[in-house]
Amino acid sequence: MSDLDGLAVIFDLDGTLVDSEPNYYEATRQMLAGHGVTDYTWAVHERLVGISTLETVMLLRDRHGLRPPVAELLAETNRRYLELARTRTRAYPEMRKFVELLAAEGVPSAVASGSSPEAIEAILAGTGLGAYLRTAVSADEVARGKPAPDVFLEAARRLGAVPADCVVLEDAAPGVAAAHAAGMRCIAVPYAATQADLLTTADLLLHGGQAEFTARAAYDWLTSL
């Protein structure tokens, strides 16, 4: 019997399980450049970490007065992103260890992400994490993206878990807010150090981000609940 009996773990994908933000930045930069916007910087992108691709495209379309419809810009961004994601996405080593440790202990685990179903599938397949994380929910499959709780509640439903028994791992403020709105506990591993102060409502906040996260420490924290 596992020390984690009754618990379920739900992972955000981008910036939490894998370092995909450079790919999202490049895909978004390429899309905007194709429509005449050439000043999209990493600093601007970093402020958008944590919201869905759809919401990012909508915001940037309005900000820059782009004429193509949102659906067209979203499809272009996703196409460019998928080309990068299939071969250039790196899983964080300690997160991979944590996923494997949970699987070995029989702990139900899932992914809940603002990315498209195609992007989630490509990343899980390309990194090999799909062998352990067979349940995945995209914000495209629910009514509202983060900070609404919909993706996390749907992940819990598919796992057959009660929300109060779920622990979420997140890297950005919208995800932490979504976890709490879902009635779940949250471990925050900030993608950007500058965002740590926005994640103080998390049940466990690792100010140092991925450099501070270890699979064993996360496991020990879960067993203390």
Side-chain angles (χ1 to χ4, degrees):
M1 180 175 292
S2 169
D3 291 332
L4 305 183
D5 281 345
L7 284 180
V9 177
I10 303 174
F11 292 90
D12 170 56
L13 182 63
D14 304 298
T16 300
L17 271 177
V18 300
D19 189 13
S20 54
E21 288 304 332
N23 294 339
Y24 272 112
Y25 165 69
E26 182 61 19
T28 306
R29 188 198 65 76
Q30 290 177 11
M31 181 276 289
L32 289 172
H35 295 278
V37 179
T38 58
D39 61 350
Y40 188 68
T41 64
W42 176 258
V44 173
H45 179 80
E46 202 170 57
R47 291 195 289 272
L48 301 176
V49 169
I51 65 174
S52 71
T53 311
L54 171 60
E55 290 167 304
T56 298
V57 168
M58 291 172 65
L59 186 154
L60 293 173
R61 180 178 184 270
D62 290 345
R63 179 180 297 174
H64 297 288
L66 302 181
R67 300 187 66 178
V70 169
E72 181 179 322
L73 296 173
L74 179 63
E76 180 182 351
T77 304
N78 282 336
R79 176 179 57 77
R80 293 179 182 276
Y81 175 74
L82 282 173
E83 292 172 357
L84 298 167
R86 289 191 178 96
T87 58
R88 287 176 43 176
T89 305
R90 181 181 73 92
Y92 292 114
E94 284 295 323
M95 281 291 175
R96 183 187 294 277
K97 289 180 184 177
F98 189 45
V99 169
E100 293 172 351
L101 181 57
L102 293 175
E105 294 291 334
V107 178
S109 301
V111 167
S113 170
S115 294
S116 69
E118 295 80 10
I120 295 170
E121 182 180 359
I123 288 175
L124 292 179
T127 59
L129 290 171
Y132 306 98
L133 296 165
R134 295 184 174 88
T135 299
V137 181
S138 163
D140 294 0
E141 301 175 86
V142 296
R144 302 169 298 169
K146 303 169 189 177
D150 301 29
V151 284
F152 291 136
L153 292 173
E154 177 59 17
R157 187 191 69 79
R158 294 186 190 181
L159 290 175
V162 176
D165 293 334
C166 295
V167 175
V168 169
L169 278 85
E170 262 287 352
D171 71 302
V176 174
H180 287 311
M184 301 176 182
R185 283 164 287 196
C186 183
I187 299 174
V189 188
Y191 180 79
T194 54
Q195 291 194 348
D197 289 343
L198 303 176
L199 309 180
T200 54
T201 58
D203 299 272
L204 175 63
L205 170 58
L206 302 179
H207 287 83
Q210 292 292 339
E212 185 179 345
F213 179 86
T214 67
R216 176 48 58 183
Y219 181 89
D220 290 344
W221 185 82
L222 289 181
T223 61
S224 73
L225 297 176

